[in-house]
Short mmCIF file of all heavy atoms in Angstrom, two decimals:
data_model
loop_
_atom_site.label_atom_id
_atom_site.label_comp_id
_atom_site.label_asym_id
_atom_site.label_seq_id
_atom_site.Cartn_x
_atom_site.Cartn_y
_atom_site.Cartn_z
N ALA A 1198 0.85 -1.19 0.00
CA ALA A 1198 0.00 0.00 0.00
C ALA A 1198 0.89 1.24 0.00
O ALA A 1198 2.04 1.19 0.44
CB ALA A 1198 -0.89 -0.01 1.23
N PRO A 1199 0.38 2.37 -0.49
CA PRO A 1199 1.18 3.60 -0.50
C PRO A 1199 1.71 3.99 0.89
O PRO A 1199 2.83 4.47 1.02
CB PRO A 1199 0.22 4.66 -1.02
CG PRO A 1199 -0.79 3.90 -1.83
CD PRO A 1199 -0.90 2.56 -1.16
N GLY A 1200 0.92 3.75 1.90
CA GLY A 1200 1.37 4.04 3.27
C GLY A 1200 2.56 3.19 3.66
O GLY A 1200 3.47 3.65 4.35
N GLU A 1201 2.55 1.92 3.23
CA GLU A 1201 3.67 1.03 3.54
C GLU A 1201 4.92 1.48 2.80
O GLU A 1201 6.03 1.44 3.35
CB GLU A 1201 3.32 -0.40 3.16
CG GLU A 1201 2.24 -1.02 4.02
CD GLU A 1201 1.82 -2.39 3.52
OE1 GLU A 1201 1.66 -2.57 2.30
OE2 GLU A 1201 1.66 -3.28 4.39
N VAL A 1202 4.76 1.91 1.55
CA VAL A 1202 5.89 2.40 0.77
C VAL A 1202 6.50 3.62 1.46
O VAL A 1202 7.71 3.73 1.64
CB VAL A 1202 5.46 2.74 -0.68
CG1 VAL A 1202 6.58 3.43 -1.42
CG2 VAL A 1202 5.01 1.48 -1.41
N GLN A 1203 5.64 4.57 1.85
CA GLN A 1203 6.12 5.78 2.54
C GLN A 1203 6.81 5.42 3.84
O GLN A 1203 7.86 5.97 4.16
CB GLN A 1203 4.94 6.73 2.80
CG GLN A 1203 5.33 8.00 3.53
CD GLN A 1203 6.31 8.85 2.73
OE1 GLN A 1203 6.18 8.97 1.52
NE2 GLN A 1203 7.29 9.42 3.41
N ARG A 1204 6.22 4.51 4.58
CA ARG A 1204 6.83 4.07 5.85
C ARG A 1204 8.21 3.49 5.62
O ARG A 1204 9.17 3.83 6.30
CB ARG A 1204 5.93 3.02 6.51
CG ARG A 1204 6.50 2.45 7.81
CD ARG A 1204 5.95 1.08 8.14
NE ARG A 1204 6.33 0.15 7.09
CZ ARG A 1204 5.64 -0.96 6.82
NH1 ARG A 1204 4.56 -1.26 7.48
NH2 ARG A 1204 6.04 -1.77 5.86
N ASP A 1205 8.34 2.62 4.61
CA ASP A 1205 9.63 1.99 4.31
C ASP A 1205 10.66 3.03 3.85
O ASP A 1205 11.84 2.94 4.20
CB ASP A 1205 9.46 0.90 3.27
CG ASP A 1205 8.66 -0.29 3.80
OD1 ASP A 1205 8.48 -0.39 5.03
OD2 ASP A 1205 8.21 -1.11 2.97
N GLU A 1206 10.21 4.02 3.09
CA GLU A 1206 11.12 5.08 2.65
C GLU A 1206 11.58 5.92 3.84
O GLU A 1206 12.75 6.30 3.94
CB GLU A 1206 10.46 5.95 1.59
CG GLU A 1206 10.29 5.26 0.26
CD GLU A 1206 9.46 6.07 -0.74
OE1 GLU A 1206 8.93 7.14 -0.36
OE2 GLU A 1206 9.35 5.62 -1.89
N THR A 1207 10.65 6.19 4.75
CA THR A 1207 10.99 6.95 5.96
C THR A 1207 11.99 6.18 6.81
O THR A 1207 12.97 6.75 7.30
CB THR A 1207 9.73 7.27 6.77
OG1 THR A 1207 8.83 8.03 5.96
CG2 THR A 1207 10.05 8.05 8.04
N ILE A 1208 11.75 4.90 6.97
CA ILE A 1208 12.67 4.06 7.75
C ILE A 1208 14.05 4.05 7.11
O ILE A 1208 15.07 4.18 7.80
CB ILE A 1208 12.11 2.63 7.90
CG1 ILE A 1208 10.89 2.64 8.84
CG2 ILE A 1208 13.18 1.67 8.43
CD1 ILE A 1208 10.13 1.34 8.91
N ALA A 1209 14.10 3.91 5.79
CA ALA A 1209 15.39 3.90 5.09
C ALA A 1209 16.12 5.22 5.28
O ALA A 1209 17.33 5.24 5.53
CB ALA A 1209 15.18 3.61 3.60
N GLU A 1210 15.40 6.33 5.20
CA GLU A 1210 16.02 7.65 5.39
C GLU A 1210 16.52 7.82 6.82
O GLU A 1210 17.62 8.33 7.05
CB GLU A 1210 15.02 8.77 5.04
CG GLU A 1210 15.56 10.16 5.25
CD GLU A 1210 16.78 10.50 4.41
OE1 GLU A 1210 16.95 9.94 3.30
OE2 GLU A 1210 17.58 11.35 4.86
N LEU A 1211 15.72 7.38 7.79
CA LEU A 1211 16.14 7.49 9.19
C LEU A 1211 17.36 6.61 9.46
O LEU A 1211 18.26 7.01 10.22
CB LEU A 1211 14.98 7.11 10.11
CG LEU A 1211 13.83 8.12 10.16
CD1 LEU A 1211 12.66 7.56 10.94
CD2 LEU A 1211 14.29 9.44 10.74
N ARG A 1212 17.42 5.44 8.87
CA ARG A 1212 18.60 4.58 9.03
C ARG A 1212 19.84 5.23 8.43
O ARG A 1212 20.93 5.16 9.00
CB ARG A 1212 18.35 3.21 8.39
CG ARG A 1212 17.43 2.35 9.22
CD ARG A 1212 17.22 0.98 8.62
NE ARG A 1212 16.41 0.17 9.51
CZ ARG A 1212 15.71 -0.87 9.13
NH1 ARG A 1212 15.68 -1.24 7.87
NH2 ARG A 1212 15.00 -1.55 10.01
N LYS A 1213 19.66 5.89 7.29
CA LYS A 1213 20.78 6.60 6.66
C LYS A 1213 21.26 7.72 7.58
O LYS A 1213 22.47 7.88 7.79
CB LYS A 1213 20.34 7.17 5.31
CG LYS A 1213 21.39 7.98 4.61
CD LYS A 1213 20.84 8.60 3.34
CE LYS A 1213 21.83 9.60 2.78
NZ LYS A 1213 21.24 10.50 1.81
N GLN A 1214 20.33 8.49 8.13
CA GLN A 1214 20.69 9.58 9.04
C GLN A 1214 21.39 9.05 10.28
O GLN A 1214 22.35 9.65 10.78
CB GLN A 1214 19.44 10.37 9.43
CG GLN A 1214 18.86 11.20 8.30
CD GLN A 1214 17.57 11.89 8.70
OE1 GLN A 1214 17.17 11.91 9.86
NE2 GLN A 1214 16.89 12.47 7.72
N LEU A 1215 20.92 7.91 10.78
CA LEU A 1215 21.54 7.30 11.95
C LEU A 1215 22.97 6.88 11.65
O LEU A 1215 23.88 7.11 12.45
CB LEU A 1215 20.71 6.10 12.43
CG LEU A 1215 21.27 5.33 13.63
CD1 LEU A 1215 21.38 6.25 14.85
CD2 LEU A 1215 20.39 4.13 13.94
N ARG A 1216 23.19 6.25 10.49
CA ARG A 1216 24.55 5.85 10.09
C ARG A 1216 25.46 7.07 10.01
O ARG A 1216 26.60 7.04 10.49
CB ARG A 1216 24.54 5.11 8.76
CG ARG A 1216 24.09 3.67 8.84
CD ARG A 1216 24.34 2.93 7.53
NE ARG A 1216 23.72 3.56 6.38
CZ ARG A 1216 22.48 3.36 5.97
NH1 ARG A 1216 21.71 2.52 6.63
NH2 ARG A 1216 22.00 3.98 4.91
N GLU A 1217 24.97 8.16 9.43
CA GLU A 1217 25.76 9.38 9.31
C GLU A 1217 26.08 9.96 10.68
O GLU A 1217 27.21 10.39 10.94
CB GLU A 1217 25.04 10.40 8.44
CG GLU A 1217 24.96 10.00 6.98
CD GLU A 1217 24.04 10.91 6.16
OE1 GLU A 1217 23.38 11.80 6.73
OE2 GLU A 1217 23.99 10.71 4.93
N ALA A 1218 25.09 9.98 11.56
CA ALA A 1218 25.30 10.51 12.91
C ALA A 1218 26.30 9.65 13.68
O ALA A 1218 27.15 10.18 14.41
CB ALA A 1218 23.97 10.59 13.66
N GLN A 1219 26.21 8.35 13.52
CA GLN A 1219 27.15 7.46 14.20
C GLN A 1219 28.57 7.66 13.66
O GLN A 1219 29.53 7.63 14.43
CB GLN A 1219 26.72 6.00 14.03
CG GLN A 1219 25.49 5.65 14.85
CD GLN A 1219 24.94 4.27 14.54
OE1 GLN A 1219 25.04 3.77 13.42
NE2 GLN A 1219 24.32 3.65 15.53
N ALA A 1220 28.70 7.88 12.35
CA ALA A 1220 30.02 8.13 11.76
C ALA A 1220 30.59 9.44 12.30
O ALA A 1220 31.78 9.52 12.64
CB ALA A 1220 29.92 8.17 10.24
N GLN A 1221 29.76 10.47 12.40
CA GLN A 1221 30.22 11.76 12.95
C GLN A 1221 30.62 11.60 14.42
O GLN A 1221 31.62 12.17 14.85
CB GLN A 1221 29.14 12.82 12.80
CG GLN A 1221 28.92 13.28 11.38
CD GLN A 1221 27.77 14.27 11.27
OE1 GLN A 1221 27.05 14.54 12.23
NE2 GLN A 1221 27.58 14.82 10.08
N ALA A 1222 29.83 10.86 15.17
CA ALA A 1222 30.14 10.66 16.59
C ALA A 1222 31.45 9.90 16.74
O ALA A 1222 32.27 10.23 17.61
CB ALA A 1222 29.01 9.90 17.28
N ALA A 1223 31.68 8.90 15.90
CA ALA A 1223 32.93 8.14 15.96
C ALA A 1223 34.12 9.03 15.62
O ALA A 1223 35.18 8.94 16.25
CB ALA A 1223 32.87 6.95 15.00
#
C-alpha cells in the first residue's frame, strides 16, 4: 500500500541519518 511504501522510505532515510550521525560521533 502507498502508506507502507512511505513508511519503508521513511525508515530507510532514518537509518541513513543514523549511520551518518554514528560516523560523525565516531
Side-chain angles (χ1 to χ4, degrees):
E1201 292 174 318
V1202 171
Q1203 180 63 39
R1204 178 204 62 205
D1205 293 345
E1206 289 172 355
T1207 301
I1208 289 171
E1210 178 61 28
L1211 290 172
R1212 285 182 176 157
K1213 177 185 170 196
Q1214 290 175 10
L1215 178 60
R1216 282 191 304 274
E1217 291 170 355
Q1219 287 172 330
Q1221 289 176 354

